[in-house]
Amino acid sequence: MPSKRKLIVGNWKVNPDSAAEAKRIIKETKKAVASLKRTDVVACPPYVYSNLVLSAKSKTPLELGVQNVWTEPRGSFTGEIGAPMLRDIGVSWVIIGHSERRAMGETDEQVAKKSFEVIEAGMNAIVCVGEKVHDAQGAYLDPLKEQIRNSLSKISKKSVKQLVIAYEPVWAIGAKDAMDPAVVQEMTIFIKKVLSDIYGQDEASSVRILYGGSANFRNAPEIITKGGVDGLLVGRESVNPSGFAEMLKVVDAL
Ligand code: PEP
């Protein structure tokens, strides 16, 4: 199989405070994306800035993602947003089941439903999974397997081409240091095995696996090469345009 294109997804969370600053980040990011050859880049700003990604003058292929979606496509769910609406305005990627949303009460069942709706609407689902504690005895492995199986329970074999897994050990998000790349590699192998048990080896091998948790331009190359992942889900560094541009450059050169 030809090697997969790398994928870098920026999760802006609830940043920045102003549209002017969002425009600046988008402009700088697009400039960096313009020279990439082997890397796909997705920006997931807060919903209110979506249009700024789409309307930015440069035709550079910075793809638009969002950080959440509702479990139902439409109806009486005040304050929520349905997958077909996102697709209609030009969103191609949706982060689902981020640990910060799971901490607010989002369940595997909701993650599964959201993933189904995203794929049904024709977008790509970035399904986040990860353990809260990484103990030396490996007690996290079975619960992680269950989390993956339950979160993907509504994604069929024929839809896996629209699936990306973001492995994010919860304790490494917003932390000082990322996970040791050698441990990322162990976890990548584990996740591939779980995917292969669900979908079969051929389909599973087409799913891109990202690492997320305190990635920056310095540690990104080692996490990708030693960790065996296809890219990164990036929080803080994605709203720091100079660091993010450098990250894209070093990752594309791998
Ligand atoms: C995240 O929130 O998905 C994330 C990886 O954040 P950070 O890169 O800031 O750790």
Side-chain angles (χ1 to χ4, degrees), residues 11 13 98 100 168 172-174 212-215 233-236:
N11 174 14
K13 310 193 187 190
H98 190 281
E100 288 159 10
E168 299 207 301
I173 297 174
S214 302
L233 178 53
V234 185
R236 286 159 294 171

Side-chain angles (χ1 to χ4, degrees), residues 47 50-51 54 64 66 81 83-92:
Y47 293 122
S50 296
N51 208 36
L54 298 170
L64 174 62
V66 293
I81 297 182
M85 301 162 199
L86 294 171
R87 180 72 207 149
D88 190 55
I89 66 153
V91 172
S92 341

Side-chain angles (χ1 to χ4, degrees), residues 56-88:
K57 283 194 196 76
S58 153
K59 292 280 171 268
T60 302
L62 172 63
E63 295 183 52
L64 174 62
V66 293
Q67 304 166 24
N68 188 28
V69 65
W70 185 232
T71 51
E72 306 299 325
R74 64 193 66 78
S76 304
F77 306 101
T78 303
E80 299 296 348
I81 297 182
M85 301 162 199
L86 294 171
R87 180 72 207 149
D88 190 55

Side-chain angles (χ1 to χ4, degrees), residues 10 20 44 60 138 144 158 165 193 202-203 207 209 211 214 218 228 243 247:
C44 302
T60 302
L144 178 60
K158 73 172 185 8
I165 298 288
K193 169 81 172 71
D202 283 357
E203 268 79 9
V207 177
I209 300 177
Y211 165 82
S214 302
R218 288 186 189 84
M247 177 188 268

Side-chain angles (χ1 to χ4, degrees), residues 39-240:
T39 311
D40 300 322
V41 185
V42 179
C44 302
Y47 293 122
V48 290
Y49 300 143
S50 296
N51 208 36
L52 300 179
V53 176
L54 298 170
S55 63
K57 283 194 196 76
S58 153
K59 292 280 171 268
T60 302
L62 172 63
E63 295 183 52
L64 174 62
V66 293
Q67 304 166 24
N68 188 28
V69 65
W70 185 232
T71 51
E72 306 299 325
R74 64 193 66 78
S76 304
F77 306 101
T78 303
E80 299 296 348
I81 297 182
M85 301 162 199
L86 294 171
R87 180 72 207 149
D88 190 55
I89 66 153
V91 172
S92 341
W93 300 81
V94 183
I95 298 172
I96 304 164
H98 190 281
S99 63
E100 288 159 10
R101 298 214 57 84
R102 290 182 187 264
M104 293 173 209
E106 187 159 297
T107 62
D108 286 349
E109 202 185 337
Q110 287 172 314
V111 173
K113 187 77 175 61
K114 290 178 178 192
S115 305
F116 174 82
E117 292 298 337
V118 162
I119 285 174
E120 189 74 0
M123 297 179 287
N124 300 296
I126 303 166
V127 177
C128 300
V129 297
E131 74 280 7
K132 288 194 188 130
V133 180
H134 198 89
D135 64 303
Q137 294 72 36
Y140 53 88
L141 289 172
D142 280 345
L144 178 60
K145 189 200 293 180
E146 275 312 283
Q147 187 189 49
I148 297 171
R149 294 191 85 96
N150 294 338
S151 300
L152 304 184
S153 62
K154 294 189 191 311
I155 300 185
S156 67
K157 201 167 176 169
K158 73 172 185 8
S159 305
V160 292
K161 46 190 175 312
Q162 288 163 262
L163 170 67
V164 167
I165 298 288
Y167 167 61
E168 299 207 301
V170 178
W171 47 271
I173 297 174
K176 186 166 149 287
D177 296 313
M179 186 181 228
D180 177 343
V183 187
V184 174
Q185 186 194 31
E186 287 169 19
M187 297 310 294
T188 309
I189 292 168
F190 177 77
I191 292 166
K192 282 185 177 164
K193 169 81 172 71
V194 175
L195 293 176
S196 175
D197 289 346
I198 303 172
Y199 295 113
Q201 206 177 338
D202 283 357
E203 268 79 9
S205 64
S206 69
V207 177
R208 285 189 281 190
I209 300 177
L210 311 183
Y211 165 82
S214 302
N216 54 45
F217 72 86
R218 288 186 189 84
N219 60 23
E222 216 188 351
I223 293 173
I224 292 180
T225 50
K226 285 201 185 153
V229 287
D230 303 297
L232 302 165
L233 178 53
V234 185
R236 286 159 294 171
E237 194 82 310
S238 70
V239 284
N240 165 24

